[in-house]
Amino acid sequence: DSGVTQTPKHLITATGQRVTLRCSPRSGDLSVYWYQQSLDQGLQFLIQYYNGEERAKGNILERFSAQQFPDLHSELNLSSLELGDSALYFCASGRASGTDTQYFGPGTRLTVL
Amino acid sequence: AQSVSQHNHHVILSEAASLELGCNYSYGGTVNLFWYVQYPGQHLQLLLKYFSGDPLVKGIKGFEAEFIKSKFSFNLRKPSVQWSDTAEYFCAVLSGNTGKLIFGQGTTLQVKP
């Protein structure tokens, strides 16, 4: 158990819908990172937040957005869902802003039908 | 752009065989390198990391990796694998000073009892 929690574990929804994935970092960690894991793209970095502010952006679609709240938990919002958005979404946390070890949560498996 | 390449996509070994998984990265500056393992149905777990110092890094569960700067490589080794090592293994590099982890495609290791 890494200490990073993610909810829900599984999510099944329809195309065009909007979902919110939630992540709570390890105690003391200020950074939260979101990754998408799919069969065709592998593990892709989406976005990083550090102490409430966006720090780095990766291959995140405009339909996706994230935020980190004052209590440091983070939410990833996915809207206008498409079949291709079906994937495992991992959250990771780390102590610092950049060069630090990232500890991964159990992931949320999103299935878009 | 930075990239990570894992040469072996699928490796099948018998128990007690020795393991070496190749990883090459493309980045000329200071690198922070990681190996993560993903057991079936589980999240990513950190096996070992290299930030600086001794290029031979020891991790958990008997794994080690050697950073060879001249070859841009960070190969993972284990002298004697067990059936419980069956998993997917990911090599990753931290991109610059951001928190963005760039992952290789992953290597699926199957250990036959």
Side-chain angles (χ1 to χ4, degrees):
Chain A
D1 185 1
S2 65
V4 179
T5 60
Q6 288 186 251
T7 56
K9 267 186 145 176
H10 303 277
L11 203 46
I12 301 174
T13 188
T15 54
Q17 296 297 304
R18 173 189 167 95
V19 297
T20 297
L21 313 183
R22 184 188 167 104
C23 167
S24 292
R26 295 186 317 157
S27 176
D29 285 358
L30 298 179
S31 270
V32 168
Y33 310 81
W34 286 97
Y35 292 84
Q36 179 194 59
Q37 185 180 34
S38 61
L39 280 173
D40 51 345
Q41 298 286 331
L43 266 161
Q44 299 274 317
F45 169 80
L46 294 177
I47 198 163
Q48 177 205 358
Y49 276 82
Y50 174 74
N51 205 18
E53 292 187 7
E54 182 185 303
R55 277 300 172 96
K57 223 168 182 176
N59 302 322
I60 188 165
L61 300 169
E62 282 190 19
R63 301 184 284 109
F64 296 1
S65 65
Q67 54 184 326
Q68 187 179 27
F69 295 86
D71 67 352
L72 301 177
H73 90 271
S74 177
E75 291 181 355
L76 180 67
N77 301 297
L78 316 176
S79 60
S80 303
L81 285 167
E82 301 174 0
L83 295 176
D85 297 327
S86 295
L88 255 174
Y89 290 85
F90 286 108
C91 163
S93 76
R95 294 245 179 263
S97 168
T99 54
D100 192 16
T101 301
Q102 295 177 29
Y103 295 90
F104 283 76
T108 294
R109 182 170 292 282
L110 173 66
T111 303
V112 182
L113 300 174
Chain B
Q2 288 175 293
S3 64
V4 177
S5 177
Q6 292 181 239
H7 317 301
N8 321 97
H9 293 292
H10 200 151
V11 173
I12 302 174
L13 294 172
S14 297
E15 273 193 317
S18 64
L19 170 73
E20 180 158 4
L21 301 182
C23 172
N24 284 92
Y25 62 92
S26 68
Y27 182 63
T30 303
V31 287
N32 298 308
L33 295 155
F34 303 82
W35 276 96
Y36 283 90
V37 60
Q38 187 176 27
Y39 297 103
Q42 294 190 28
H43 62 286
L44 288 147
Q45 297 176 39
L46 180 69
L47 268 181
L48 48 80
K49 62 186 178 185
Y50 173 79
F51 281 13
S52 63
D54 189 343
L56 186 60
V57 180
K58 295 200 182 298
I60 61 170
K61 305 189 182 190
F63 286 92
E64 65 178 33
E66 186 174 11
F67 169 59
I68 304 180
K69 191 174 180 179
S70 61
K71 294 185 178 180
F72 297 91
S73 71
F74 190 55
N75 293 353
L76 181 71
R77 299 195 292 248
K78 186 170 184 178
S80 174
V81 295
Q82 300 173 316
W83 176 78
S84 57
D85 293 324
T86 294
E88 190 155 15
Y89 292 79
F90 292 93
C91 181
V93 63
L94 262 179
S95 173
N97 289 323
T98 73
K100 178 180 176 180
L101 269 177
I102 298 171
F103 284 90
Q105 311 94 304
T107 297
T108 302
L109 171 65
Q110 186 182 350
V111 180
K112 294 186 172 180

